[in-house]
Amino acid sequence: MGTFCFCSSMTSNFNVPQVLPPSDPKLVVNGGSTLSGHVIVSGSKNSALPILAATLCCSGSSNLKNVPYLSDTRTMASILESLGAQVMSFGGDMVVNTDGIVSVEPDSSDVGKLRGGFFVIGPLLARFGEACVGLPGGCDIGARPVDLYIHGLRALGATVELRDGKVQAHVSNGKDLIGASFRLGYPSVGATETLMMAACMAEGKTVISNAAQEPEIIDLAGFLTNCGAVVEGAGTDTLYITGRRKLYGSEYSIMPDRIEVGTYMLAAAITRSCISISPVAHITLTCLADKLSGAGCKILQLSDDTLELSAVPWTIGDDLRGFSVKTNPFPGFPTDLQPLTMALLSTCKGVSVIEESVFENRMSHVTELQKFGAKIQVCGSRATVSGKGKASPLRGSQVNATDLRGGMSLVLAGLAAEGITEISGISHVDRGYESLEMKLQGLGANVIRTTTTTFPV
Ligand code: EPZ
């Protein structure tokens, strides 16, 4: 795999390879080989982001461990710094001190980069009585409104308005938020987290019903409890929170990233390989494990926190069988693994159906997967995948990532495909996968990151 392009302009000698100026990084994968060995997953991005926001509730310093080094966690740190917090990082540790907060209006350009940026509205409002937060960004996978956040903050006694593209909120009684009972119209992960943080510092008791039950909610509740909050019911559909006027920074270790675990399970399956993965909390991925076992993979719990997934030919027999999935809030099949599962299904035997029920526009990877020769038809939120099986492998291709998990589905397809795959737009993938190419290389994958053009132009 070279890093040169051959260019025949008037001014260059076309026999001399030219290195083009650096551009957006790409991943180049020479696919078709099997993976082996062990991979260690990082801390969870989707836990780290709300927990970083929750440090705004706390006096003193919070020492967070196992924080993944990702563009999203760095942006979240910048958001906290734009408010006046001090953030120091050493390896996987992030120490945040919010005693010097001077603003309740985070940098809008950073908030516009990720959904998690909006979470700060809850703690700011609860601790300082006001907040002015720009509308959030994040992956372009649907409308992603913030109405549930606003509804909940109003129930807690805030006045909330949308003005000049920002959500402006203040505590209506000029003092504190007041605990309340309300039901979320949908078990939104981010709204549950934001309102949980706000309720932890509200006066009196709050009951949030139809709350999200994702493991990341339990992790956030764990951090808040360490800081002195009283939260019961995390991981069920009803949260009972007793407000405390003051919370104190504490030390907390972020849970392992269950979506990264699922990603490497799918990487082993799509390459018909056998790898082990740790640390894994098995309960968080039962849905995926059941589907992969049904398809023919063998999943072994090697120890409390290590699993092995085997999809090698002598384990799976003829080939992996397709299966159908519908995404749903936890404990349903995770929407974040939908694009990656689609990549796998395009290599399995038989017809599979994927229904996306969480986000209305999470299918943009389909046109890119089709470039590998995948046979996928989309009708609304349903995709029908006609698996090619081993007789007709995917072919390497030049593709473009437009969102985090869709981008990672292209990396998986590239690992399975015969020949070279070049994936541009890899900054989307960098938002959620720490040390991606190093981890893949450690499993024996032939993958490099480059900023030069590798295909002939
Ligand atoms: C979180 O997003 C995750 N992000 C997402 O991870 C994940 O896909 C999603 O939960 C579902 O599991 C973070 O934790 C930072 P939601 P979030 O609010 O909180 C609708 C990844 O790849 N909704 O549960 O934004 C919304 O439009 C990502 O790592 C409203 O209608 O998800 C969507 O259809 C991407 N109004 C549905 O709820 C609201 O006010 C679920 O969204 C809020 C949400």
Side-chain angles (χ1 to χ4, degrees):
M1 231 179 303
T3 52
F4 297 111
C5 89
F6 295 89
C7 147
S8 58
S9 77
M10 293 289 286
T11 52
S12 64
N13 175 346
F14 62 82
N15 288 320
V16 179
Q18 305 267 310
V19 179
L20 289 183
S23 55
D24 280 348
K26 298 169 189 168
L27 277 192
V28 179
V29 185
N30 191 355
S33 45
T34 51
L35 306 179
S36 61
H38 182 76
V39 64
I40 296 178
V41 302
S42 303
S44 162
K45 165 183 83 84
N46 288 345
S47 260
L49 296 176
I51 289 176
L52 281 166
T55 62
L56 287 168
C57 295
C58 304
S59 307
S61 291
S62 298
N63 183 359
L64 304 180
K65 304 199 163 291
N66 204 29
V67 178
Y69 186 77
L70 299 168
S71 51
D72 268 15
T73 49
R74 280 176 282 146
T75 305
M76 196 67 190
S78 301
I79 288 173
L80 298 178
E81 283 171 338
S82 73
L83 297 167
Q86 283 188 328
V87 184
M88 284 182 293
S89 300
F90 330 85
D93 284 14
M94 226 183 235
V95 178
V96 185
N97 185 303
T98 61
D99 287 343
I101 294 294
V102 288
S103 165
V104 290
E105 183 168 348
D107 182 278
S108 290
S109 65
D110 279 339
V111 174
K113 289 180 190 158
L114 77 173
R115 185 77 173 169
F118 193 71
F119 301 166
V120 300
I121 196 167
L124 285 175
L125 194 53
R127 185 166 165 199
F128 303 104
E130 54 181 334
C132 177
V133 186
L135 288 170
C139 285
D140 186 9
I141 50 182
R144 308 187 80 181
V146 291
D147 56 312
L148 299 170
Y149 298 66
I150 293 175
H151 170 77
L153 293 174
R154 285 185 177 144
L156 291 170
T159 301
V160 189
E161 286 168 49
L162 182 61
R163 220 183 290 148
D164 304 328
K166 291 183 179 167
V167 179
Q168 305 201 352
H170 64 270
V171 172
S172 308
N173 64 11
K175 285 171 31 195
D176 294 326
L177 291 174
I178 306 286
S181 293
F182 57 89
R183 181 183 166 81
L184 292 176
Y186 182 92
S188 153
V189 176
T192 301
E193 291 166 342
T194 302
L195 297 168
M196 191 165 130
M197 292 185 252
C200 278
M201 299 189 82
E203 192 188 315
K205 290 189 193 293
T206 295
V207 181
I208 306 177
S209 49
N210 202 28
Q213 303 176 47
E214 268 69 1
E216 292 76 15
I217 306 284
I218 302 178
D219 215 26
L220 174 62
F223 171 70
L224 288 165
T225 304
N226 264 10
C227 299
V230 183
V231 182
E232 288 169 81
T236 74
D237 66 357
T238 310
L239 293 170
Y240 301 89
I241 300 164
T242 306
R244 290 273 180 268
R245 197 54 210 119
K246 214 158 182 194
L247 301 181
Y248 299 91
S250 71
E251 183 173 304
Y252 194 77
S253 185
I254 308 286
M255 67 179 258
D257 195 317
R258 67 190 171 100
I259 302 301
E260 193 186 7
V261 172
T263 298
Y264 285 106
M265 289 169 77
L266 288 159
I270 200 171
T271 54
R272 308 298 191 264
S273 303
C274 177
I275 67 169
S276 56
I277 307 168
S278 72
V280 176
H282 199 55
I283 184 88
T284 61
L285 277 165
T286 319
C287 240
L288 176 68
D290 288 351
K291 290 290 180 185
L292 291 177
S293 300
C297 297
K298 293 282 171 292
I299 301 173
L300 282 179
Q301 190 83 33
L302 296 183
S303 70
D304 275 358
D305 73 347
T306 307
L307 70 73
E308 179 187 85
L309 187 140
S310 177
V312 295
W314 55 91
T315 310
I316 61 174
D318 184 24
D319 203 354
L320 290 181
R321 297 174 291 279
F323 53 87
S324 292
V325 289
K326 180 176 180 184
T327 65
N328 264 311
F330 191 85
F333 194 90
T335 171
D336 291 347
L337 291 177
Q338 176 266 105
L340 297 85
T341 304
M342 193 182 293
L344 168 68
L345 291 173
S346 67
T347 71
C348 294
K349 256 189 358 182
V351 175
S352 310
V353 177
I354 293 190
E355 193 172 343
E356 173 59 56
S357 85
V358 178
F359 291 105
E360 65 271 26
N361 185 25
R362 206 170 200 178
M363 291 281 172
S364 60
H365 46 283
V366 170
T367 47
E368 300 304 291
L369 286 175
Q370 286 165 339
K371 294 180 185 167
F372 291 90
K375 299 257 177 294
I376 307 168
Q377 279 190 317
V378 179
C379 181
S381 58
R382 280 164 73 95
T384 305
V385 186
S386 304
K388 294 164 74 80
K390 64 183 170 195
S392 174
L394 300 177
R395 296 181 309 274
S397 182
Q398 253 185 305
V399 287
N400 184 37
T402 55
D403 69 88
L404 163 55
R405 309 299 173 185
M408 193 61 204
S409 77
L410 307 179
V411 177
L412 294 197
L415 291 172
E418 284 188 344
I420 306 282
T421 289
E422 188 177 293
I423 305 146
S424 55
I426 212 69
S427 57
H428 291 285
V429 182
D430 290 337
R431 296 182 53 191
Y433 290 95
E434 188 178 53
S435 309
L436 175 61
E437 62 272 25
M438 279 168 59
K439 290 187 185 185
L440 289 173
Q441 285 160 0
L443 293 171
N446 194 344
V447 47
I448 57 162
R449 178 179 293 254
T450 177
T451 49
T452 54
T453 295
T454 52
F455 277 64
V457 291

